[in-house]
Amino acid sequence: QMPQLSTQHLRGREELHLAHLVLSCITMGYVWQEGEEGTVQVLPRNLAVPYWEVSQALGLPPILSHADLVLANWRRKDPNGNLDTIITLPGGESLRGFVLVTLLVEKAAVPGIKAIVRALGAILQRDEETLHRALQELAGAIEAMSEALRRMHDYVDPEVFYTVIRIFLSGWKDNPAMPHGLIYQGVSLEPMAYSGGSAAQSTVLHAFDELLGICHRQDSAAFLRRMRNYMPPPHRAFVEEIHRAVSLRQHVLSSGDARLRAAFNRCVSALTDFRSYHITIVTKYISIAAAKAKAGRAEPRARAGPSAGKPPSALEAKGTGGSHIFSFLKSIRDSTREGMISA
């Protein structure tokens, strides 16, 4: 019953991103409102057409991505800088905590992104002092990201995340609950398949991998490459620019400078630790929570409420982006560790 919205009055990147966030959340709510059992095959024209138009204008896919849920979904609640989300899905305070803690991880990465640009400039200038300082700043930023990620325990309830929030972040590619994808009415007669939101869509980790010359195994690398299609195009271009730039690793190796090697290895070690800690978080919020949900399915539910329905099971072993979660996370953690330069 929603009127078909016109996208022609949207002005500028911020309005387009806000529209994409709103249409993404309406779409996720519409698709998953009845849980895995009652998924729809068709997204109605009055939602699908404006969503497709905004997505095309931004160069983003028509599904809720990391760029929507986290990067475009925050506002200042008061002059003290306290943050709040703009749009919420089911999950209450835990969803708010999940979005804002993830945002704080991104914010902690900002000095590291700036350090990448300085490091690449320093290599071209053969300025070892500036390069050393940039690598120290990068390592410090990655360590700060791990600190920010620890706050997840304070703000997100594992049961709420697993049984309520996670389904609304799920996509319709590599998802047994929606094997055929989704028809965007008025856009395509054929169903289209898109991956759900995933931390693998975060630009910062791709940028750090490219700078440090981390080589992931073939299947993991292929999945990460596919996730780049879910980034805003300027982010994707930034990551590809680093890929084409001069090799930091080769420069450190050929310099024979022990200080540079130590600073480089501190970056790789910090990134390995961050990925190890991410595995700890995923274990708590997905595999342990899944086991508890399974046990709960065997018993009569003691309480009503949004999680009193059947907990989702289609993605028990997979991430919302569709990857086999533990083999993928362990593989990228191990290949990161292999990026260390031995003395």
Side-chain angles (χ1 to χ4, degrees), residues 20 60 99 107 110 160 206 224 229 246 256-257 267 290-291 309 311 337 343:
H20 199 271
L60 285 173
V99 170
K107 183 173 175 288
V110 170
V160 175
H206 288 252
L224 286 168
N229 299 326
V246 59
D257 183 330
C267 293
R337 188 184 285 133

Side-chain angles (χ1 to χ4, degrees), residues 140-155:
I142 301 170
E143 287 157 6
M145 288 166 68
S146 290
E147 275 308 301
L149 187 56
R150 286 176 206 285
R151 299 176 72 175
M152 202 65 83
H153 302 290
D154 302 329
Y155 294 102

Side-chain angles (χ1 to χ4, degrees), residues 119-120 122-124 126-128 131-136 138 211-213 246-268 339-343:
L120 292 173
I123 295 170
L124 296 175
R126 301 209 166 281
D127 180 349
E128 306 296 327
L131 177 56
H132 183 261
R133 216 168 30 246
L135 291 178
Q136 296 284 35
L138 174 57
L211 180 77
L212 298 169
V246 59
S247 166
L248 168 66
R249 185 185 178 81
Q250 283 311 120
H251 180 83
V252 173
L253 280 167
S254 60
S255 76
D257 183 330
R259 269 174 84 237
L260 273 187
R261 188 177 65 231
F264 178 92
N265 281 345
R266 183 184 159 203
C267 293
V268 175
M340 298 282 275
I341 295 175
S342 49

Side-chain angles (χ1 to χ4, degrees), residues 206-227:
H206 288 252
F208 297 161
D209 277 350
E210 289 292 2
L211 180 77
L212 298 169
I214 306 294
C215 294
H216 296 297
R217 292 168 186 54
Q218 200 172 351
D219 51 347
S220 301
F223 176 75
L224 286 168
R225 261 196 308 279
R226 190 155 62 79
M227 290 297 102

Side-chain angles (χ1 to χ4, degrees), residues 78-278:
D78 54 44
N80 304 327
N82 290 317
L83 300 177
D84 203 354
T85 50
I86 298 172
I87 306 284
T88 59
L89 285 161
E93 283 301 299
S94 283
L95 177 77
R96 194 168 153 270
F98 176 71
V99 170
L100 294 177
V101 169
T102 309
L103 178 70
L104 291 178
V105 174
E106 291 274 342
K107 183 173 175 288
V110 170
I113 292 291
K114 293 179 177 174
I116 291 176
V117 179
R118 277 202 293 280
L120 292 173
I123 295 170
L124 296 175
Q125 303 287 327
R126 301 209 166 281
D127 180 349
E128 306 296 327
E129 202 47 54
T130 298
L131 177 56
H132 183 261
R133 216 168 30 246
L135 291 178
Q136 296 284 35
E137 283 164 17
L138 174 57
I142 301 170
E143 287 157 6
M145 288 166 68
S146 290
E147 275 308 301
L149 187 56
R150 286 176 206 285
R151 299 176 72 175
M152 202 65 83
H153 302 290
D154 302 329
Y155 294 102
V156 185
D157 178 315
E159 189 193 355
V160 175
F161 179 78
Y162 186 78
T163 59
V164 181
I165 296 171
R166 198 161 175 256
I167 192 167
F168 290 101
L169 310 182
S170 301
W172 28 94
K173 181 180 176 68
D174 303 326
N175 186 344
M178 285 184 73
H180 307 299
L182 182 67
I183 291 172
Y184 289 72
Q185 194 181 57
V187 174
S188 167
L189 297 173
E190 295 298 311
M192 296 193 276
Y194 294 101
S195 299
S198 164
Q201 295 163 0
S202 169
T203 310
V204 295
L205 295 167
H206 288 252
F208 297 161
D209 277 350
E210 289 292 2
L211 180 77
L212 298 169
I214 306 294
C215 294
H216 296 297
R217 292 168 186 54
Q218 200 172 351
D219 51 347
S220 301
F223 176 75
L224 286 168
R225 261 196 308 279
R226 190 155 62 79
M227 290 297 102
R228 289 186 186 180
N229 299 326
Y230 294 77
M231 296 175 185
H235 288 212
R236 195 160 61 233
F238 178 68
V239 172
E240 282 156 12
E241 195 67 34
I242 302 166
H243 176 73
R244 284 193 296 271
V246 59
S247 166
L248 168 66
R249 185 185 178 81
Q250 283 311 120
H251 180 83
V252 173
L253 280 167
S254 60
S255 76
D257 183 330
R259 269 174 84 237
L260 273 187
R261 188 177 65 231
F264 178 92
N265 281 345
R266 183 184 159 203
C267 293
V268 175
S269 176
L271 192 54
T272 305
D273 290 348
F274 178 82
R275 286 183 157 142
S276 287
Y277 195 68
H278 188 212

Side-chain angles (χ1 to χ4, degrees), residues 315-332:
L315 291 178
E316 263 172 18
K318 285 191 170 189
T320 43
S323 65
H324 284 279
I325 197 155
F326 283 101
S327 56
F328 169 71
L329 290 176
K330 285 175 177 164
S331 155
I332 61 167

